[in-house]
Amino acid sequence: MGEQSLSQPFPHPHPHPLSPSPPASAAATPPATALAVSASASRPKKKPRSSGSNPAPKKRRLVPSVRGRPLSADGEVDAAIRHLRAADPALAPVIDAHDPPSFHCPHPPFHSLVRSVLYQQLAFKAAASVYSRFIALSAEQLRQIGVSARKASYLHDLARKYASGILSDDNIVAMDDRSLAAMLTMVNGIGAWSVHMFMIFSLARPDVLPSADLGIRKGVQMLYGLEDVPRPSQMEKLCERWRPYRSVAAWYMWRLIESKAAQTAAAMPVVPPAMPAPSEEFMLQQHQQQHHHQHQQQQQQAAIQMLDPVQMLPGLG
C-alpha cells in the first residue's frame, strides 16, 4: 500500500503462478448501481391503490455501508484520534499512553491474503520462512516447502477466484466493507476474523470492528470496568460511539491489553533463590512457588501474543 491512495488501483506484482490477472471482460462489467438504475427505469409504474384499501407496508431498503477515506491518507489518523477523544473520554488516557498507529501496507491485496493464509496456526519465524520461499515457487512446489495440503487448497481456491475475475486487486479496493466481507469469506480458508484483519491492516479501512476478537472484547471490559467480557453480540452497541473510526479504537484496545499485561509482569515479585534446607517439605514448597511463578509468566506472554493480531499476522501490518 505504501503511500498510495486506496482510491487508485494497486499495481500488479510481478507474474506469479498463483496470482493471474483477471480476464478483460471482468473490467468491462458495469457497476451494480448502474444496473440497478437502468432496471428500475425500465419497470412499468404500478397504478395507485384506491383510498379505501389498506396500503401495503413499504419494504426497508438495504443501504450499503459507506467506505470512508483510508487511514493511510494524510491526516486521517489524526482526524480519527480527535474524534475518539471527543466521543469517548474514557479512551483519551489510552490514546495519550501510546504513539499514534500507522496504517501502511506495502503489499497488494492478493499477497496480503496469501500471507494471511500461510500465517495461520504457525509461529512467526516459521511462517515468515515459508512465505519467503513461497514467493518464487510454482503451485506444484508448495508441498515441498512445508505448506500443508489444506493450506495449498486454500491458496488454489484464492488463485482460481482471481483467474476467473471473481476477485481482483482493483475490485477488492473498490468494494464497500459489507460486500468485501461477503466476497472474501467465499474463499476457502478465509473467515470473518481474517477479513477484519485484512480490512484494517492491509486496506486501512477506518470503521471495522472485529467484534469477536478476544483482545478487543477484553479491552472494552477493562476500559469501561465491566464485570464480564462482553459478548460479540454486545460489542456493536458498546462501541457505537467510536464510529466512523472503530478500526483505530480497536487498535488502541489491543495496546491497552498489551500494556496491562506488561505492567502485571513488571509488578510481579521475583522469587529469590531458595537456600539449602534440610526439610523436604520446605524444598517442596519452594519448588511449587517457582513453578507457579514460571506458569504465570508463560500465561502472560501467551496472552500478549494471543490478543494482539498484529503479532499473529505480521504480514497485514
Side-chain angles (χ1 to χ4, degrees):
M1 189 178 300
E3 298 296 329
Q4 297 174 351
S5 170
L6 287 180
S7 62
Q8 301 296 325
F10 275 96
H12 289 286
H14 296 295
H16 187 277
L18 287 179
S19 57
S21 301
S25 60
T29 304
T33 53
L35 291 176
V37 171
S38 62
S40 61
S42 63
R43 296 194 190 101
K45 294 183 178 180
K46 294 183 179 180
K47 295 182 178 180
R49 293 177 178 267
S50 61
S51 58
S53 60
N54 295 327
K58 294 182 178 180
K59 294 183 178 180
R60 294 183 60 185
R61 298 180 63 185
L62 294 177
V63 180
S65 58
V66 179
R67 179 165 58 87
R69 295 179 71 215
L71 294 169
S72 55
D74 290 341
E76 197 62 19
V77 170
D78 293 336
I81 290 175
R82 288 195 299 271
H83 169 79
L84 293 172
R85 283 183 182 278
D88 191 353
L91 198 54
V94 184
I95 295 174
D96 292 338
H98 299 89
D99 293 332
S102 176
F103 296 90
H104 294 280
C105 179
H107 310 291
F110 179 82
H111 277 194
S112 292
L113 290 169
V114 167
R115 288 168 72 96
S116 71
V117 172
L118 288 176
Y119 274 73
Q120 291 173 6
Q121 300 177 346
L122 285 180
F124 170 70
K125 291 183 178 180
S129 175
V130 170
Y131 181 75
S132 65
R133 287 178 286 164
F134 159 80
I135 291 298
L137 295 182
S138 64
E140 292 76 16
Q141 296 171 306
L142 289 176
R143 291 291 301 276
Q144 299 177 11
I145 65 166
V147 178
S148 67
R150 176 173 294 183
K151 284 187 181 179
S153 70
Y154 296 162
L155 296 174
H156 293 157
D157 187 52
L158 176 63
R160 281 193 296 268
K161 286 178 171 57
Y162 262 74
S164 66
I166 295 175
L167 290 175
S168 71
D169 285 357
D170 292 348
N171 64 32
I172 282 177
V173 172
M175 284 186 212
D176 64 83
D177 293 352
R178 188 178 302 159
S179 301
L180 181 58
M183 291 296 292
L184 290 183
T185 51
M186 292 172 56
V187 179
N188 294 336
I190 297 180
W193 186 87
S194 295
V195 171
H196 288 152
M197 298 303 105
F198 172 72
M199 288 196 293
I200 293 174
F201 295 107
S202 288
L203 301 183
R205 295 289 173 91
D207 195 35
V208 179
L209 178 67
S211 55
D213 184 89
L214 180 59
I216 298 177
R217 291 163 55 204
K218 289 183 72 67
V220 169
Q221 178 196 19
M222 190 175 299
L223 184 69
Y224 298 133
L226 306 177
E227 292 184 4
D228 301 314
V229 178
R231 298 187 298 274
S233 59
Q234 298 173 306
M235 291 291 289
E236 289 286 338
K237 184 176 180 180
L238 288 170
C239 304
E240 179 66 25
R241 69 186 73 184
W242 296 345
R243 289 180 183 271
Y245 293 109
R246 293 181 296 176
S247 299
V248 179
W251 186 90
Y252 279 111
M253 292 299 95
W254 286 314
R255 302 284 76 74
L256 175 61
I257 290 296
E258 183 182 62
S259 61
K260 290 295 182 182
Q263 291 173 8
T264 302
M268 183 177 297
V270 178
V271 178
M275 297 296 291
S279 171
E280 292 183 2
E281 181 179 356
F282 178 81
M283 294 296 293
L284 178 60
Q285 291 175 353
Q286 290 294 316
H287 176 74
Q288 290 174 343
Q289 289 177 0
Q290 291 177 351
H291 177 74
H292 178 68
H293 175 66
Q294 292 173 355
H295 180 67
Q296 285 184 322
Q297 286 183 324
Q298 291 172 355
Q299 284 185 324
Q300 289 161 1
Q301 185 64 28
I304 293 174
Q305 295 177 353
M306 178 186 68
L307 300 177
D308 187 357
V310 182
Q311 294 284 341
M312 296 176 68
L313 293 175
L316 300 184

